[in-house]
Amino acid sequence: MWRFRRLALPAAVVAGGSVAWFIGLRLRAYLVPADLTAACALAVFVNVTVAIRSLIEGACATTHRCLVPGCAFRVRLTNPDAAESRRWQEAAAAHPTHAQARRH
């Protein structure tokens, strides 16, 4: 798991760079000015990189929730050891305030 997490950021950067390069080439084919092409390609690069990184973080995270029905309390941990995970699991089960989830 540790090797996978170490390769996550470089993989996200390569994927974001590839998509941004492709978008940049497509925009240049339509004679879009260079500064606008660069701005669009950079925006695509950042968004794709952050999205992939977020998906990887979410897949590798451990989440502990309150057991009371309707309570919105949760704790999300990345790369915890067994003792830390157990402490947060107990804290989620015994926290004093049980807030209802807001729905918009």
Side-chain angles (χ1 to χ4, degrees), residues 14 46 65 79 84:
V14 167
V46 170
R65 293 181 175 88
N79 203 18
E84 182 180 12

Side-chain angles (χ1 to χ4, degrees), residues 34-53:
D35 56 345
L36 186 57
T37 299
C40 290
L42 183 61
V44 168
F45 168 72
V46 170
N47 281 299
V48 169
T49 302
V50 168
I52 291 173
R53 181 74 173 152

Side-chain angles (χ1 to χ4, degrees), residues 7-27:
L7 295 176
L9 183 59
V13 168
V14 167
S18 300
V19 173
W21 183 262
F22 177 74
I23 294 295
L25 289 177
R26 298 287 297 178
L27 289 173

Side-chain angles (χ1 to χ4, degrees), residues 32-91:
V32 175
D35 56 345
L36 186 57
T37 299
C40 290
L42 183 61
V44 168
F45 168 72
V46 170
N47 281 299
V48 169
T49 302
V50 168
I52 291 173
R53 181 74 173 152
S54 178
L55 288 172
I56 292 171
E57 289 280 329
C60 295
T62 302
T63 303
H64 298 294
R65 293 181 175 88
C66 179
L67 301 175
V68 175
C71 182
F73 184 84
R74 71 178 183 181
V75 177
R76 179 177 237 156
L77 307 170
T78 54
N79 203 18
D81 61 357
E84 182 180 12
S85 183
R86 182 68 183 158
R87 274 195 306 271
W88 281 106
Q89 184 179 19
E90 291 171 357

